[in-house]
Amino acid sequence: QVQLVESGGGLVQPGGSLRLSCAASGSIFGIYVMGWYRQAPGNQRELVARITSAGTTTYVDSVKGRFTISRDNAKNTVYLQMNSLKPEDTAVYYCNAILKSTAYPLGRNYWGQGTQVTVSS
């Protein structure tokens, strides 16, 4: 059973920082892409950032220069360092991974349970 477990959300003032972590566990033998999506009330879920197994990164324009995605392949973990946070960054952040497991050797898309990030004074 593959699981993605997120941590690191919370309440922060505008201009502050938070670091999100997401660890994938289970019978995994390869991860193609890991990333973070977010969904604010009334909005569709959107891609925030993602990183491939080779380290290639992609960011949504609104977070470029403020957020940094990284991953530790040995630990099957992805991080999102969020700096200079703004109220419009408030959302539930979801970890996402496309990975190969014993149950799905060709790959499958997985989601974490979500972690709330609130930016407010």
Side-chain angles (χ1 to χ4, degrees):
Q1 186 81 1
V2 173
Q3 284 188 313
L4 302 182
V5 179
E6 300 137 335
S7 61
L11 172 64
V12 64
Q13 293 187 342
S17 298
L18 282 175
R19 189 191 194 212
L20 305 183
S21 299
C22 171
S25 63
S27 300
I28 299 166
F29 58 87
I31 301 180
Y32 294 114
V33 180
M34 298 189 82
W36 293 93
Y37 287 70
R38 67 186 178 186
Q39 188 168 19
N43 290 354
Q44 290 187 333
R45 190 174 297 189
E46 66 169 353
L47 173 68
V48 177
R50 64 185 174 201
I51 183 168
T52 69
S53 57
T56 301
T57 58
T58 303
Y59 296 93
V60 67
D61 285 346
S62 60
V63 308
K64 287 180 180 177
R66 300 189 297 122
F67 291 10
T68 302
I69 190 169
S70 60
R71 65 190 277 180
D72 184 332
N73 289 332
K75 295 181 179 180
N76 290 338
T77 299
V78 64
Y79 307 96
L80 186 67
Q81 178 66 43
M82 304 186 292
N83 299 328
S84 302
L85 282 160
K86 304 175 181 180
E88 51 263 43
D89 294 318
T90 296
V92 178
Y93 283 69
Y94 295 91
C95 178
N96 173 263
I98 302 173
L99 57 86
K100 298 183 288 185
S101 65
T102 54
Y104 297 94
L106 297 182
R108 186 187 181 191
N109 196 32
Y110 290 88
W111 292 94
Q113 79 283 359
T115 185
Q116 177 70 45
V117 171
T118 302
V119 185
S120 175
S121 55

